[in-house]
Amino acid sequence: DAPIFTKQGLEQIAARKYEEEQELGLASGGVFEFNHNRSAIGLGNYSVVVLETAVRAHGAYSWDQFDVRKGVEAIPPLDQVVGIVVNKPTSNLMGAWKSKHWYTIRRCRGHDLNLDSKLAAPVAFVAEGQDVSASTGETLKEHLRLLIDGGGSLFGVTQTEPQPQPQPEPELEPESGVA
């Protein structure tokens, strides 16, 4: 399957959003000003506006920020959302460079998975030594608590329209030999 979102598509949304901000007088477009809707050095890290626009443009999905002040209990279980998009504060170069990192948490085949690109492979949220099939969701809740306590933001992607189900091919009736 081809990706739904591409770097080129996200770059186009970032450029369009920046142009809209310039038209509204929110961005000057000066020589030393850069498009804050994307990383200045081309490493992705798009603004929440770009990601929300991309999800909403896809048509069948909505994007909602979770009110983290209400705690993890207010976040619906993963079987009620398509996924949770996380924006986590990070620092690099021994704290000299502060940034934010996006990643997704999603349920796949009954398992809650951390799909962070910084991981070697998707990781299931299970307690150490626990079998993946015995996950209770507590490890995921603890992960979300730590994110919230660390200043992270959480967004839910929900399906707004039912996905079309593939229709069976109509059976062909045998030709009747009548001309």
Side-chain angles (χ1 to χ4, degrees):
D1 291 340
I4 294 172
F5 307 110
T6 63
K7 180 177 181 180
Q8 179 183 9
L10 294 173
E11 289 288 330
Q12 290 171 348
I13 293 170
R16 189 173 65 244
K17 289 296 179 185
Y18 186 63
E19 289 170 9
E20 290 172 7
E21 291 167 0
Q22 287 177 316
E23 290 170 9
L24 294 171
L26 301 173
S28 67
V31 175
F32 296 108
E33 185 177 271
F34 67 95
N35 183 348
H36 60 272
N37 290 307
R38 61 179 289 281
S39 169
I41 55 176
L43 297 177
N45 200 17
Y46 299 97
S47 74
V48 66
V49 173
V50 171
L51 298 179
E52 179 180 6
T53 301
V55 167
R56 290 182 189 268
H58 191 56
Y61 299 96
S62 68
W63 171 281
D64 301 296
Q65 183 168 9
F66 293 130
D67 186 349
V68 295
R69 298 171 297 179
K70 295 180 180 178
V72 295
E73 280 68 30
I75 298 170
L78 280 177
D79 59 355
Q80 295 177 16
V81 295
V82 174
I84 297 173
V85 180
V86 175
N87 193 351
K88 173 185 173 183
T90 62
S91 62
N92 299 321
L93 302 172
M94 297 201 282
W97 179 270
K98 296 196 184 299
S99 180
K100 295 218 174 189
H101 176 64
W102 293 98
Y103 65 94
T104 302
I105 298 171
R106 183 158 188 198
R107 179 162 288 172
C108 184
R109 297 186 184 127
H111 305 295
D112 299 338
L113 300 176
N114 183 339
L115 302 176
D116 190 340
S117 62
K118 291 186 176 183
L119 300 171
V123 175
F125 287 98
V126 293
E128 193 170 324
Q130 182 183 35
D131 184 67
V132 174
S133 62
S135 176
T136 63
E138 287 305 311
T139 309
L140 172 60
K141 286 183 182 177
E142 183 58 26
H143 180 80
L144 296 176
R145 272 189 205 96
L146 291 171
L147 285 167
I148 291 169
D149 291 347
S153 300
L154 305 173
F155 303 86
V157 176
T158 54
Q159 192 170 332
T160 57
E161 300 172 15
Q163 293 296 306
Q165 298 298 318
Q167 299 296 318
E169 292 290 322
E171 292 185 33
L172 297 176
E173 298 197 19
E175 291 185 25
S176 66
V178 175

